Amino acid sequence: MMSTQTNQTVNQTARFSILSQDQKQRIFEGMIETLRNTGVHLHHEEARKLLKEHGALVDGVAVKIPQNLVMDALATVPPVTIVQSWDGSKKTLIEKNQVLFGPGPTPPNFTDPHTLERRKYVRADAAMVARICQALPNIGFVQSLGTISDVTVSLADVYEFAEMIQNTTKPILSWSYTRDTCRDIHQIAIAVAGGEEAFRQCPNYVFYGEPISPLLSDFHAMDKAMYCAKHGIPQVYTPCCIGGGTVPATHAGQLVCALSESMLGVVVAQLINPGTCVIMGGVQSIMDMQYSVYAYGAPELSLLSAALTEMAQYVGLPMFSTAGCTDTKTLDPQGAIEAATSVHSAMLSGANFIHDVGYFESGMTGSVLQLVMADEQIGMSHVVAKGIEVNEETMAVEEICNAGPGGNYFDTDHTKKFAASLWQPTLMDRQSYEDWAAQGKKTMKDRVIEKTRDIIANFEGPISKVPEDTKKKIADILQAAEIREAKKAEAENK
Amino acid sequence: MLEKTMLIKMNQQVHGTTMFQILTEDQIERIYFAALDVLEISGARIFHKEALELFASSDAMVTETNRVRIPTSMVEQALGSCPSKSNLTGRNGKRSVKLQKNEVAFGSGADAPFVYDRKTGERRKSTFADVEAAAKIVDYLPRLDFCMSHGLVSDAPNSKTYDRHQFLAMVKNSTKPLVVTSVDGDGLKDQWEMACLIRGGEKEFRLSPLFATYIMSDSPLMSNNEIVDKLLFATEKGIPTIFSPCSGLGVNAPATIAGGLVQTLADALLTVVLCYLKKPGLPLILGGVQTIMDKDIETLSYGSPELHLASAASTEIYKWLGLLSSSSGGCTDSKVVDEQAASESVMSIYNNFMAGTNLIHHVGCIDSGLNGSLSSLVMCDEIIGMIKQIGKGIQVTDESLALDILKEVGPGGEFLSHDHTYDHWKEWFRPTIIDRSNFETWTENGSKNYTDRLEPEVDRILESHEPEPLDENIIQEMKKIINLADKKEV
């Protein structure tokens, strides 16, 4: 059809905003002022030396960062980073407003999907979580939902990555205890990618590291960040800020802190390797004053995360956000309320990696049931977030006039063309009461459990496509790491 | 710290609340123009005698087959006469709902034929007592602003007067403003008379309406005679009127949401014109349910994301036209209060609240509108609190930026014991049924899930909350009106 339109502004998606430009500018200025005047504590000598060489004021562990260092770092961060799945099947873009959801790392406990009991997280769980993530259409990246308890303690991070990367082609966000295990993970990724050069061209995972709030980086956090920067591994450098605990109770103050803490990682990484990808963000919520718990289901988490995402977009950094998590201890409506609220907020905000989908109990337990439920909520949120297409064809004036008052649209060509694009639920029930009752009165929880068990039983994942020699290389890396850690333990015992 | 006396940061524009937008003004205009096209080219079909006469004596064209086609000029003239605000005020004059741009109110609803018996758990027809119980809960809950009949009174003396009984059940048990449904024009008249008794007269009601009437149309562009009767009566008496055209995408509306919006808007604009022809100035609150319809069982989905999207977009369109808006929210297709009910309630409350819909009704309705749940009402009250917290946005001031506090505490410090935290943590949302205790505490307290905690709270409200009583003389006067209707309709 020939267009007769001119001067049209359209929303291709819904638009959502917490902060005005002026508000963002003030928070940005707050970060500049905080790094310049209050500064940070940095427990890494080499990093301090580097910062001092570039004009930072260093006094013991205290480092004050002048604004030109921040501005220079922001000038070299990449606008686009590409992460490729190891089999080459899919590229993931890390760029402004490109949204992906995924689980989170490291809860000590896990909800067993068969017994529904809370138990320790084991090695086999890492493979299972990766497979479930692979099967869920609205989950875009993979984290483990637990810390492996049945391997050498100091290598739980490496075993986790080795299990996950063979069971998913979606990007993995890995973490590590130390530079050593950070390197082990890197080596596995190189083995899977088919060599160092191939990995450098297109990395197949993102590393996740965490400074400590407020305004403090311990040795290992900075050491790993420097390793990743040097080797061009895209990395997340983000704190967990606890409003009223480790940062001010007012949201604006929390945003200043969170931004400042990530910015330290950005500055160091850009000094080491200008153009390397650093993702800011983190978990942003408040301390529940009744129970002294870090509230993962609080609406403040949604609000702060969306606002921090706007700050990330303002400074030109990708954002690691949080959603789909809950303070409930079991799959129930509370988990659904809290997850739906944060999922929709994070979706609308346009964050890049939205993590912690599947966290129960304020991050103390990982649950694939919560993950499977949230996958459906993300699907619902997506329908709203993508907005409404308004054009001659979708407005259907001709159809409406042809059908006439009280007309029927069933089976028309227009309906046949567009009805398929309406959302199809997989866990939401829309049957009549009678049909629902006849089928055993199942609640959504029952359906979530069924779907989860069905995926576990029947979904293969890509493990059979991992070449034998790659598997061998992974086993060798694990073995070498075991020997190294054993020697370390021995040395410590002496 | 710097002395702030003479320092001022100029030209600061802030978001006073969170901002949310589905459509641009250009997109809204296109939908509006398309709706005007529909009214000019195809129009609507009306059978009501007085309405046909009103149209025939205007510039509209009325055909032999009762098709009414309306020129744009008439629509725009009528739009100019719609009031931009109207307040609903509860019976004691203390609790009110502001109907004006970007003010949001939530309420129960609506006319669900079934309920789960709270003693036996059995699904049965809802009664007068059920509507009373729901009204009592609405009266108690802090985030519900108006009361709409949660259930259909099935134990009224006859099926044509249940609306008067619902009115009595609600007004007795809640001092919040009401939204009513009426069987027909006579029913609305009786409800209005009862409201005038409470308010003290017809002009008093006009200045300060006690209720809005909810009129649903499920046949697009073809309002039946009962609907028109109610519309004309409401127009005459100045009763704020919610007009809500309902349709199923791809069944009795186009399968595209934009098409559904065009059809709904055409229907709404037709109503605007009709009311204008009767008497300019009716406060019209326009809504619309465009959702997935199961064509075999003919039920509309109350939980589909398409409904949430279309409702938010409708609100934006009505706001742009300077009209008041309504939609359903806090409802679900789930048959029980479970994770589905929670998810769908969150999504609908979230999007409608952020869009700024004036009246969000049907809160607490489950089973695609067939079951009025008290538990869901209480759950949604908490959800509304959470969504409102997000909707507040973030204040950015010297006090909230807290740079000096951050400097004082320093790297590695803690804020828990600082006065600044004490001064501000009460601004946070505090949950009621949602539980944030750790695993050990939760286990010690009996490992209760959300529903286990929700049900006793519903019982507690029902047992302990005493709504402010309504003057017994007024109740007797109202009963006379009801009895008269009961006898007449037999």
Side-chain angles (χ1 to χ4, degrees):
Chain A
M1 197 188 301
M2 186 88 86
S3 173
T4 50
Q5 294 270 311
T6 178
N7 293 314
Q8 291 287 311
T9 304
V10 303
N11 282 351
Q12 244 165 25
T13 63
R15 297 185 69 208
F16 181 79
S17 165
I18 309 285
L19 301 167
S20 72
Q21 283 300 104
D22 290 336
Q23 287 171 313
K24 286 181 232 178
Q25 179 66 21
R26 285 198 75 177
I27 291 166
F28 179 79
E29 289 160 1
M31 174 270 288
I32 292 287
E33 175 64 9
T34 297
L35 289 177
R36 187 190 68 78
N37 184 21
T38 303
V40 297
H41 285 186
L42 176 53
H43 296 269
H44 196 290
E45 203 183 333
E46 192 189 332
R48 287 199 301 268
K49 203 170 147 236
L50 182 68
L51 286 164
K52 193 175 177 181
E53 280 167 13
H54 287 84
L57 292 175
V58 177
D59 178 12
V61 295
V63 180
K64 292 182 177 176
I65 301 171
Q67 57 179 323
N68 65 308
L69 264 184
V70 176
M71 299 315 287
D72 288 351
L74 288 176
T76 58
V77 293
V80 184
T81 301
I82 299 169
V83 178
Q84 186 169 277
S85 59
W86 56 259
D87 65 348
S89 63
K90 201 171 183 308
K91 282 187 164 66
T92 298
L93 291 173
I94 309 174
E95 62 183 20
K96 192 175 173 182
N97 280 314
Q98 188 69 48
V99 177
L100 290 178
F101 284 87
T106 63
N109 308 298
F110 192 65
T111 304
D112 189 292
H114 298 288
T115 66
L116 307 181
E117 294 289 318
R118 179 185 189 255
R119 61 158 169 80
K120 292 272 171 225
Y121 185 91
V122 296
R123 183 175 175 181
D125 294 331
M128 179 182 74
V129 169
R131 255 187 324 125
I132 293 174
C133 289
Q134 184 76 5
L136 294 174
N138 301 314
I139 295 299
F141 67 92
V142 183
Q143 293 196 273
S144 62
L145 282 180
T147 307
I148 297 177
S149 62
D150 58 344
V151 295
T152 305
V153 174
S154 59
L155 292 174
D157 46 0
V158 188
Y159 278 97
E160 173 189 307
F161 185 76
E163 289 297 332
M164 291 199 304
I165 199 155
Q166 300 180 68
N167 283 285
T168 183
T169 56
K170 294 182 181 177
I172 293 170
L173 266 68
S174 77
W175 59 279
S176 80
Y177 290 113
T178 63
R179 180 186 278 252
D180 281 343
T181 50
C182 184
R183 189 188 301 109
D184 293 336
I185 288 167
H186 185 208
Q187 293 307 316
I188 293 173
I190 288 171
V192 176
E196 194 152 0
E197 187 48 34
F199 179 84
R200 233 182 217 286
Q201 286 296 322
C202 208
N204 55 21
Y205 78 108
V206 175
F207 187 80
Y208 167 69
E210 200 178 297
I212 298 165
S213 240
L215 304 170
L216 190 144
S217 274
D218 68 348
F219 174 81
H220 289 299
M222 186 48 78
D223 206 38
K224 293 177 287 185
M226 291 167 80
Y227 178 89
C228 290
K230 193 175 161 199
H231 293 91
I233 303 164
Q235 62 172 316
V236 178
Y237 194 76
T238 65
C240 289
C241 298
I242 308 174
T246 64
V247 297
T250 43
H251 297 339
Q254 176 155 356
L255 294 171
V256 168
C257 263
L259 187 56
S260 304
E261 287 160 19
S262 278
M263 204 54 69
L264 171 67
V266 174
V267 168
V268 172
Q270 296 307 308
L271 287 176
I272 290 171
N273 181 6
T276 192
C277 172
V278 186
I279 302 162
M280 63 167 272
V283 184
Q284 304 299 331
S285 191
I286 49 145
M287 165 87 91
D288 180 273
M289 292 296 178
Q290 188 182 356
Y291 293 108
S292 299
V293 158
Y294 188 30
Y296 271 71
E300 287 81 4
L301 176 140
S302 296
L303 183 55
L304 283 160
S305 301
L308 192 56
T309 302
E310 288 174 28
M311 288 312 302
Q313 293 168 346
Y314 186 74
V315 300
L317 289 169
M319 174 72 188
F320 183 67
S321 186
T322 311
C325 41
T326 169
D327 298 318
T328 193
K329 270 58 73 180
T330 179
L331 189 69
D332 71 350
Q334 175 177 342
I337 291 170
E338 296 181 331
T341 302
S342 56
V343 158
H344 197 47
S345 303
M347 172 75 88
L348 291 172
S349 75
N352 299 93
F353 291 97
I354 301 161
H355 85 309
D356 286 355
V357 179
Y359 269 19
F360 269 174
E361 200 194 326
S362 320
M364 295 303 289
T365 296
S367 168
V368 287
L369 304 174
Q370 178 80 5
L371 178 73
V372 168
M373 178 181 72
D375 178 71
E376 181 91 342
Q377 294 175 331
I378 296 166
M380 288 178 78
S381 170
H382 183 247
V383 174
V384 176
K386 72 182 182 196
I388 298 170
E389 199 181 346
V390 180
N391 58 40
E392 294 295 327
E393 196 181 14
T394 59
M395 288 195 299
V397 171
E398 211 182 317
E399 302 292 318
I400 296 170
C401 293
N402 285 342
N408 180 16
Y409 294 80
F410 185 63
D411 257 359
T412 65
D413 288 344
H414 188 268
T415 296
K416 277 181 198 153
K417 180 169 176 187
F418 288 103
S421 60
L422 298 171
W423 185 66
Q424 295 297 326
T426 60
L427 290 167
M428 301 298 174
D429 170 70
R430 293 179 184 163
Q431 300 181 90
S432 68
Y433 176 85
E434 290 71 22
D435 289 346
W436 173 78
Q439 288 170 27
K441 297 190 175 182
K442 284 178 192 157
T443 67
M444 186 179 180
K445 179 177 180 169
D446 300 327
R447 298 190 293 272
V448 166
I449 293 170
E450 278 176 11
K451 181 174 173 176
T452 307
R453 289 177 182 166
D454 179 60
I455 292 171
I456 294 169
N458 301 313
F459 186 81
E460 266 284 327
I463 191 152
S464 60
K465 291 184 199 144
V466 180
E468 282 309 313
D469 65 321
T470 305
K471 282 184 184 167
K472 169 99 180 33
K473 279 180 196 160
I474 294 172
D476 291 347
I477 293 164
L478 286 171
Q479 200 186 358
E482 287 283 5
I483 294 165
R484 184 190 69 228
E485 293 302 310
K487 276 185 188 159
K488 264 199 229 170
E490 207 175 304
E492 271 172 31
N493 285 339
K494 278 177 189 166
Chain B
M1 238 197 105
L2 285 172
E3 181 61 55
K4 291 278 159 77
T5 320
M6 286 303 288
L7 288 177
I8 178 166
K9 203 160 174 96
M10 283 302 301
N11 295 312
Q12 295 290 300
Q13 189 176 57
V14 304
H15 286 180
T17 63
T18 294
M19 308 294 277
F20 176 78
Q21 188 192 56
I22 303 288
L23 300 168
T24 62
E25 195 172 339
D26 289 340
Q27 288 172 306
I28 292 173
E29 270 176 326
R30 284 192 81 179
I31 290 168
Y32 171 60
F33 293 143
L36 292 173
D37 279 345
V38 170
L39 288 178
E40 287 186 342
I41 300 165
S42 169
R45 183 164 281 140
I46 305 282
F47 303 99
H48 191 276
K49 194 163 165 282
E50 187 188 350
L52 285 172
E53 283 167 11
L54 285 170
F55 281 118
S57 59
S58 74
D59 288 343
M61 177 194 275
V62 180
T63 70
E64 284 167 5
T65 55
N66 296 336
R67 202 60 102 84
V68 179
R69 290 168 56 187
I70 300 170
T72 297
S73 58
M74 273 183 78
V75 174
E76 299 200 332
Q77 199 179 355
L79 280 172
S81 79
C82 291
S84 58
K85 69 168 281 294
S86 172
N87 291 354
L88 304 178
T89 309
R91 64 163 146 94
N92 66 4
K94 288 178 192 154
R95 300 166 118 180
S96 63
V97 163
K98 271 188 193 172
L99 292 170
Q100 65 191 50
K101 190 175 172 186
N102 287 325
E103 283 280 341
V104 182
F106 290 92
S108 49
D111 288 4
F114 297 102
V115 70
Y116 285 120
D117 189 284
R118 289 196 68 77
K119 288 210 177 71
T120 65
E122 165 210 13
R123 185 181 190 254
R124 58 162 174 77
K125 285 189 172 169
S126 49
T127 63
F128 186 84
D130 294 319
V131 176
E132 282 200 294
K136 204 170 159 181
I137 287 191
V138 171
D139 192 64
Y140 171 82
L141 292 172
R143 294 155 190 128
L144 290 182
D145 307 291
F146 65 89
C147 182
M148 185 170 177
S149 183
H150 216 41
L152 203 64
V153 169
S154 66
D155 53 350
N158 74 62
S159 64
K160 282 189 156 178
T161 60
Y162 66 83
D163 48 354
R164 285 84 161 174
H165 294 271
Q166 287 177 185
F167 185 89
L168 178 65
M170 289 195 288
V171 81
K172 259 178 79 180
N173 288 283
S174 178
T175 59
K176 290 181 179 174
L178 309 181
V179 170
V180 308
T181 56
S182 313
V183 175
D184 51 23
D186 289 343
L188 179 58
K189 181 165 178 286
D190 283 350
Q191 289 167 320
W192 170 77
E193 279 177 3
M194 289 191 273
C196 288
L197 272 176
I198 292 169
R199 199 87 315 162
E202 192 175 332
K203 288 207 168 166
E204 283 80 356
F205 182 92
R206 200 180 277 277
L207 273 172
S208 175
L210 175 73
F211 71 84
T213 179
Y214 176 83
I215 301 175
M216 189 194 102
S217 165
D218 57 8
S219 190
L221 294 162
M222 220 165 66
S223 290
N224 64 34
N225 289 352
E226 275 155 11
I227 291 174
V228 178
D229 271 341
K230 289 189 248 179
L231 280 173
L232 296 182
F233 182 79
T235 306
E236 201 183 312
K237 301 298 182 189
I239 304 168
T241 300
I242 303 166
F243 180 70
S244 183
C246 300
S247 55
L249 296 167
V251 180
N252 57 2
T256 47
I257 293 176
L261 290 171
V262 168
Q263 191 191 56
T264 301
L265 182 59
D267 222 340
L269 293 174
L270 174 91
T271 303
V272 168
V273 173
L274 173 62
C275 295
Y276 170 77
L277 291 174
K278 174 74 179 173
K279 183 179 177 183
L282 174 70
L284 266 171
I285 305 135
L286 296 156
V289 174
Q290 296 118 57
T291 186
I292 309 301
M293 185 195 250
D294 187 317
K295 64 174 175 49
D296 298 324
I297 51 177
E298 288 203 341
T299 49
L300 293 168
S301 165
Y302 275 75
S304 78
E306 287 85 357
L307 168 66
H308 312 146
L309 176 60
S311 300
S314 277
T315 292
E316 291 178 356
I317 294 168
Y318 295 136
K319 272 204 295 198
W320 182 79
L321 286 166
L323 300 169
L324 302 168
S325 58
S326 76
S327 68
S328 59
C331 35
T332 177
D333 296 332
S334 179
K335 316 303 174 280
V336 287
V337 179
D338 66 350
E339 297 73 19
Q340 175 179 350
S343 306
E344 293 179 337
S345 297
V346 166
M347 289 300 290
S348 57
I349 289 170
Y350 199 122
N351 295 298
N352 282 305
F353 177 78
M354 293 297 173
T357 308
N358 297 120
L359 285 181
I360 301 174
H361 47 76
H362 273 78
V363 173
C365 223
I366 63 171
D367 193 359
S368 313
L370 294 177
N371 192 323
S373 166
L374 302 184
S375 313
S376 178
L377 260 181
V378 176
M379 174 177 77
C380 285
D381 181 71
E382 189 161 40
I383 295 173
I384 293 166
M386 292 177 66
I387 303 304
K388 282 187 169 177
Q389 189 72 20
I390 297 171
K392 275 187 200 167
I394 291 177
Q395 279 194 12
V396 185
T397 60
D398 286 338
E399 171 71 11
S400 69
L401 283 164
L403 299 185
D404 44 349
I405 313 289
L406 189 52
K407 169 99 178 154
E408 182 191 324
V409 171
E414 60 86 20
F415 291 77
L416 194 55
S417 58
H418 201 285
D419 283 348
H420 186 267
T421 297
Y422 184 78
D423 291 343
H424 290 285
W425 75 271
K426 290 185 177 114
E427 293 158 12
W428 301 340
F429 170 76
R430 261 178 289 177
T432 45
I433 300 152
I434 277 177
D435 169 75
R436 295 180 184 159
S437 62
N438 64 23
F439 188 80
E440 289 69 28
T441 309
W442 178 75
T443 311
E444 277 163 27
N445 291 332
S447 305
K448 288 177 186 151
N449 69 26
Y450 187 85
T451 319
D452 299 333
R453 302 188 300 271
L454 177 64
E455 294 307 327
E457 175 63 5
V458 178
D459 291 335
R460 188 192 68 78
I461 299 169
L462 286 173
E463 280 157 26
S464 64
H465 180 65
E466 292 288 345
E468 185 184 308
L470 178 60
D471 186 335
E472 192 54 40
N473 293 327
I474 290 181
I475 296 179
Q476 290 313 319
E477 291 297 312
M478 285 167 64
K479 280 188 175 164
K480 279 183 202 164
I481 296 173
I482 297 173
N483 287 336
L484 214 63
D486 284 342
K487 279 179 200 142
K488 197 172 73 185
E489 294 288 352
V490 165

